[in-house]
Amino acid sequence: MVISQPTRSMMPRRLLNHPLTLYLIFLVLMLLKLMWLHHNLHAYNITMGFLDKVIAIGSLLLLSFWTWWLPRRGMILSLVVLNLLLTALIYADMVYYRYFQDFLTIPVLMQARQVDALGDSIATLLHVSDLWFFADWIAIIPYGAILLFSRQYGVSRSTPYSNRLESYSDRRGKKGMRRLTAGSIALVLGLCLAVGPIYFYSKTWAKGLFDNNWWNVSIYNVTGLLAFHGYDLYNYAKDHIGSGPEADPADVEQAKSFFADRQKNTSSDDALFGKYKDSNVIIVQGEAFMNFMIGQSIGGQEITPHFNELMKESQYYSHFYHQTGQGRTSDADFGANISLHPLPVGSAFVRYADHTYDSLPSILKDNGYSTNVFHAYESGFWNRYTMYQNMSYDKFYSKNDFEQDDPLGWSLSDESFFRQSVEKMDSDVTEPFYSFLITLSSHHPYALPQDKQQLDVGEFEGTMFGDYLQSVHYVDSALGSMVEDLKNRGLWDNTIFMFYGDHDNSIKEQAQYEQFLGRSLNELDMEQIMNEVPLLVHLPDGAEAGTLDQPAGQLDITPSVLHLLGITDESYYHMGNDIYDGSSRTVVLRSGAFTDGSVFYIPSDDYIYENGSCYDLSTHSKTDINACNSGHDEASKRLHVSDTVITYDLIPRFREENNGGPAS
């Protein structure tokens, strides 16, 4: 009998169904999606050039080479599943970047339960045009199913049974060898295309980047998205599988030296040191409460009238910076209460909640204070319940401890939250006390119900920017009611009261800020707008009131509170500045940007120092990059020291070696 030959009409179909054709279609589709992602990032000074596409193709080969080693149907099913999984990952990265200007990491995914709580915030980050991202699924899923369940034979049914057995065995062996060869070629080619350019970058313009990862976008600029996730997975496994690596001795010595120098520069000679000993301390962390609208009006209405009034009898820091990273609200909490820099990846609250820290509540508790934290949300969010136990709070008043008498946004309105929190301070807490409060009403996407909207935002009506102004106006009103309540209960006159913003509002459109402020903005203006949050400090006697223009940051809060209470900071492992000791200070942001009050350095997206911008703050214009050189070195050192101390849990080791305090 003669084996049937394919007709001409069958050739295109067989070509389309050929494993190589299917594999190439998979590679092209995924490359297009990676290019679509990059186009939607709008990352400044980062392009997807030829070598970047080569790296992307190599990464796809490394992720999929093994599919060649499967039988034909197994290969088809695997490619379909890989398409679904990689599409979901790439799209999740794109949505996450729209909010955080960063990429998903393993630590962030470990916090995945938080994603469910984002609710409306996520909805505002999804665009109708994103449907094109999934257009191929309309064809791929049915096509994969048809191919998977259809029956194909390599020989005609008319072939004698004995010949068919021999032919089948022969063909199976040859096909297996071809699959093995094709998969091996894909593996080797993937290694060459992906690893080669990355290695070249790491030895040339990106030298040292993998040793000093301040920002994931800079890693992405070298590796592309898929290799970035591979690098992130490697780092996570290195940190968490087995006993983990030991800290580099040189890094440990650098950290010891930093704290020894800091101890020598600690001062307690001024009149404010200990002036407010045993005073209560209340610190309010305002959600997305930024500095640019302080003192501003719209439509004849002050946006923050109560804050503005309180400024008259308080210290207002006009250049106070948030120093947060991926952990956002939890990072602000970490920096303010622990005075170490947040991590470059993930949240320290989640990754290292069991490590040792010199937290403000633990120090105050050792000095006879009742320590309490108030946040009307789920206690497990950002792993707060576990972290707050480690920070030695006496009680964490979370969602279940508040009566839900005025639901708003994520949980409870700030007005009700402040009122119930002050009631608890007055009735449940013994003095002196430390109370830390975290607000919620001004959380993204800033949609207040109509009955809470009291501000005419004019031309910004119907925009997220207008909604943001409405929400901070509402929070300001709640803050005014809280201050009055504290006064009426007799708590105000014996309390150090602080209010600061936790991070920016994630609204990046420069044109809207220019429209609101009525002037054009340069790169420095936008960097300051997006990183400056207000700090208000009211002392019990209203002393030292006025506006202070020197730079300060969230890490400075704990050392400064201790100064006012007369508790020396020299035996604690903090990295913030004491804003009352009169010394010059440098404020370092998690991105590597920094300011010392004279210059402001903005790093480039590729994180090459020379490609960054150095601004002279007296002229508000760019100056010679060398003017920022020493400050850049100091900023890099501080971030590296902080990361080393947190990651390797060095505080207990240092304290044991030095009998309690930093080495001298």
Side-chain angles (χ1 to χ4, degrees):
M1 302 295 292
V2 180
I3 299 176
S4 62
Q5 298 296 319
T7 65
R8 288 187 178 182
S9 62
M10 295 173 60
M11 293 300 289
R13 180 182 175 187
R14 291 203 171 187
L15 181 62
L16 183 62
N17 292 344
H18 193 281
L20 180 59
T21 304
L22 296 174
Y23 191 72
L24 290 176
I25 290 173
F26 164 79
L27 292 179
V28 169
L29 286 173
M30 300 318 302
L31 179 61
L32 288 174
K33 293 183 182 188
L34 290 170
M35 292 170 66
W36 177 276
L37 164 82
H38 187 86
H39 175 73
N40 278 271
L41 296 183
H42 305 296
Y44 177 75
N45 205 29
I46 290 183
T47 59
M48 193 173 189
F50 173 74
L51 277 182
D52 302 298
K53 294 184 180 71
V54 168
I55 292 173
I57 294 171
S59 300
L60 288 167
L61 289 170
L62 290 177
L63 282 171
S64 60
F65 73 89
W66 54 271
T67 61
W68 281 104
W69 296 345
L70 301 175
R72 183 170 177 274
R73 295 185 183 183
M75 179 186 188
I76 295 169
L77 178 61
S78 298
L79 290 176
V80 170
V81 171
L82 271 178
N83 180 295
L84 300 179
L85 293 177
L86 290 177
T87 298
L89 174 64
I90 297 168
Y91 185 67
D93 271 308
M94 188 159 66
V95 173
Y96 187 81
Y97 188 92
R98 285 171 180 165
Y99 187 84
F100 292 103
Q101 280 66 58
D102 211 336
F103 299 106
L104 288 165
T105 60
I106 297 297
V108 169
L109 293 175
M110 297 295 286
Q111 304 153 12
R113 63 181 181 274
Q114 296 174 180
V115 176
D116 294 335
L118 290 177
D120 291 339
S121 288
I122 288 184
T124 64
L125 302 173
L126 307 181
H127 302 163
V128 174
S129 60
D130 294 346
L131 290 173
W132 288 107
F133 199 75
F134 304 95
D136 60 319
W137 286 11
I138 298 173
I140 283 177
I141 295 175
Y143 183 67
I146 290 170
L147 288 179
L148 181 63
F149 295 108
S150 65
R151 297 184 61 82
Q152 300 288 336
Y153 295 91
V155 294
S156 169
R157 286 182 177 274
S158 57
T159 305
Y161 180 71
S162 59
N163 290 349
R164 272 189 279 154
L165 282 179
E166 182 181 355
S167 174
Y168 176 73
S169 174
D170 243 8
R171 291 166 64 87
R172 186 177 182 184
K174 290 177 181 178
K175 285 183 177 180
M177 183 58 66
R178 285 200 296 267
R179 290 198 302 267
L180 179 63
T181 302
S184 301
I185 291 173
L187 172 60
V188 173
L189 189 60
L191 287 170
C192 293
L193 295 181
V195 177
I198 293 174
Y199 180 80
F200 171 75
Y201 287 157
S202 69
K203 296 300 180 182
T204 53
W205 60 266
K207 188 174 183 179
L209 177 63
F210 293 97
D211 299 321
N212 299 286
N213 176 23
W214 311 132
W215 191 29
N216 290 327
V217 176
S218 59
I219 295 292
Y220 163 83
N221 191 33
V222 173
T223 64
L225 186 75
L226 300 180
F228 163 79
H229 284 299
Y231 175 73
D232 173 58
L233 182 62
Y234 163 76
N235 272 340
Y236 185 82
K238 182 178 67 175
D239 289 344
H240 291 83
I241 295 178
S243 59
E246 291 292 322
D248 187 318
D251 291 340
V252 175
E253 288 304 314
Q254 182 186 49
K256 285 182 180 179
S257 176
F258 174 86
F259 288 109
D261 291 343
R262 186 178 184 276
Q263 179 191 29
K264 294 173 185 175
N265 295 324
T266 300
S267 172
S268 57
D269 296 335
D270 68 291
L272 280 179
F273 184 81
K275 181 178 179 180
Y276 302 101
K277 179 178 173 61
D278 295 331
S279 295
N280 300 321
V281 178
I282 298 175
I283 299 179
V284 179
Q285 178 173 289
E287 173 64 34
F289 209 92
M290 297 172 69
N291 196 54
F292 75 93
M293 76 280 180
I294 299 300
Q296 299 286 342
S297 298
I298 189 169
Q301 276 184 282
E302 289 182 279
I303 297 172
T304 57
H306 298 89
F307 189 100
N308 299 344
E309 186 65 25
L310 196 54
M311 283 170 56
K312 297 175 183 177
E313 57 185 65
S314 307
Q315 299 169 356
Y316 164 58
Y317 291 80
S318 60
H319 293 294
F320 182 80
Y321 294 88
H322 77 80
Q323 296 170 283
T324 65
Q326 282 188 340
R328 302 288 275 180
T329 297
S330 71
D331 280 355
D333 187 342
F334 184 84
N337 282 289
I338 290 175
S339 195
L340 294 174
H341 286 280
L343 297 170
V345 177
S347 166
F349 269 44
V350 175
R351 294 182 63 187
Y352 301 117
D354 58 339
H355 287 191
T356 298
Y357 307 103
D358 287 331
S359 70
L360 180 58
S362 67
I363 295 169
L364 294 185
K365 186 172 183 177
D366 289 343
N367 283 270
Y369 276 70
S370 170
T371 57
N372 303 275
V373 56
F374 302 81
H375 183 49
Y377 198 62
E378 306 292 347
S379 62
F381 199 64
W382 284 121
N383 201 34
R384 283 190 176 101
Y385 181 78
T386 301
M387 187 67 179
Y388 287 159
Q389 285 184 314
N390 186 22
M391 292 169 69
S392 297
Y393 282 110
D394 290 325
K395 183 170 177 58
F396 175 19
Y397 292 91
S398 60
K399 185 175 183 178
N400 292 337
D401 297 296
F402 291 87
E403 180 185 352
Q404 300 297 307
D405 56 2
D406 188 20
L408 177 65
W410 278 40
S411 177
L412 186 65
S413 73
D414 280 357
E415 185 176 2
S416 177
F417 167 64
F418 284 148
R419 173 176 48 79
Q420 294 187 55
S421 297
V422 172
E423 287 174 356
K424 297 177 192 304
M425 292 180 219
D426 192 28
S427 60
D428 299 351
V429 175
T430 58
E431 298 188 60
F433 61 75
Y434 170 52
S435 293
F436 182 66
L437 295 83
I438 305 168
T439 73
L440 267 175
S441 292
S442 51
H443 198 287
H444 187 281
Y446 318 116
L448 288 182
Q450 196 66 38
D451 63 330
K452 302 288 188 185
Q453 298 181 23
Q454 303 297 323
L455 188 67
D456 180 6
V457 297
E459 58 194 342
F460 296 105
E461 185 69 36
T463 68
M464 185 177 288
F465 191 89
D467 291 343
Y468 173 72
L469 296 180
Q470 284 281 12
S471 68
V472 295
H473 182 72
Y474 168 77
V475 174
D476 175 79
S477 176
L479 174 64
S481 298
M482 178 190 186
V483 171
E484 286 303 309
D485 197 6
L486 289 168
K487 290 179 178 178
N488 293 337
R489 294 175 184 272
L491 294 173
W492 185 251
D493 291 334
N494 190 37
T495 295
I496 297 171
F497 181 85
M498 292 186 173
F499 181 97
Y500 70 91
D502 64 352
H503 53 69
D504 66 79
N505 58 14
S506 294
I507 301 174
K508 312 292 184 181
E509 290 77 9
Q510 182 170 328
Q512 292 186 316
Y513 294 99
E514 291 180 332
Q515 185 179 357
F516 174 75
L517 296 172
R519 59 186 175 91
S520 61
L521 303 171
N522 64 12
E523 180 189 31
L524 175 61
D525 293 324
M526 283 303 298
E527 187 75 9
Q528 290 184 308
I529 284 174
M530 299 310 297
N531 287 288
E532 285 184 353
V533 292
L535 170 64
L536 193 77
V537 181
H538 183 273
L539 301 177
D541 54 1
E544 307 294 325
T547 297
L548 294 95
D549 296 326
Q550 300 94 327
Q554 289 168 339
L555 270 65
D556 303 343
I557 288 177
T558 285
S560 303
V561 169
L562 295 179
H563 186 104
L564 294 172
L565 298 177
I567 302 172
T568 180
D569 191 47
E570 65 181 9
S571 63
Y572 300 114
Y573 293 89
H574 296 149
M575 300 193 71
N577 307 292
D578 180 348
I579 59 179
Y580 297 113
D581 68 4
S583 61
S584 60
R585 50 183 179 263
T586 298
V587 178
V588 181
L589 309 187
R590 181 65 258 185
S591 65
F594 75 87
T595 180
D596 59 5
S598 298
V599 297
F600 195 113
Y601 175 75
I602 304 174
S604 62
D605 288 339
D606 59 16
Y607 209 74
I608 300 172
Y609 168 67
E610 291 78 10
N611 291 345
S613 303
C614 184
Y615 281 86
D616 183 333
L617 290 177
S618 65
T619 63
H620 224 63
S621 58
K622 283 187 181 180
T623 187
D624 187 340
I625 192 69
N626 291 323
C628 288
N629 190 46
S630 61
H632 175 265
D633 291 343
E634 176 65 18
S636 299
K637 180 178 77 172
R638 290 191 188 190
L639 291 172
H640 189 64
V641 165
S642 184
D643 293 344
T644 301
V645 169
I646 296 168
T647 302
Y648 299 103
D649 198 16
L650 293 183
I651 291 177
R653 172 175 167 179
F654 287 171
R655 188 154 280 133
E656 182 179 354
E657 290 176 358
N658 302 302
N659 299 315
S664 56

